[in-house]
């Protein structure tokens, strides 16, 4: 079974520390309950890699660059 972290949406590997959260999915008339499980990394999540087509974040805007094309 593949477990996906609810915070970072990356797979949780074999042997990684994780927490399993249980949520009530449905309650039946006889008192029984169906459970849905969610998983979260116990340690800090890995920062997601940007997609190959996305430009890298270059930081704050440099006011010296101006806006638009060439200025005279």
């Amino acid at each position: 079974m593949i477990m996906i972290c609810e915070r970072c949406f990356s797979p949780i590997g074999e042997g990684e520390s994780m927490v399993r959260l249980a949520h009530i999915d449905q309650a039946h008339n006889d008192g029984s309950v169906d459970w849905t499980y969610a998983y979260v990394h116990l340690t800090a999540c890995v920062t997601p890699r940007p997609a190959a087509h996305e430009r890298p974040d270059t930081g704050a805007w440099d006011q010296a660059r101006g806006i638009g094309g060439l200025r005279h």
Side-chain angles (χ1 to χ4, degrees):
M1 176 175 78
I2 297 174
M3 295 179 285
I4 304 293
C5 177
E6 293 290 320
R7 281 189 295 209
C8 67
F9 303 112
S10 63
I12 298 174
E14 294 276 335
E16 272 190 272
S17 301
M18 59 97 175
V19 174
R20 183 178 79 170
L21 307 170
H23 306 279
I24 295 176
D25 183 43
Q26 185 177 8
H28 300 283
N29 291 335
D30 64 355
S32 63
V33 176
D34 292 335
W35 295 95
T36 299
Y37 297 101
Y39 304 92
V40 178
H41 285 112
L42 189 58
T43 58
C45 292
V46 178
T47 56
R49 291 181 295 146
H53 67 277
E54 291 181 358
R55 295 172 58 178
D57 182 13
T58 57
W61 178 254
D62 182 5
Q63 293 295 326
R65 291 171 60 187
I67 297 176
L70 192 59
R71 291 188 171 194
H72 297 285

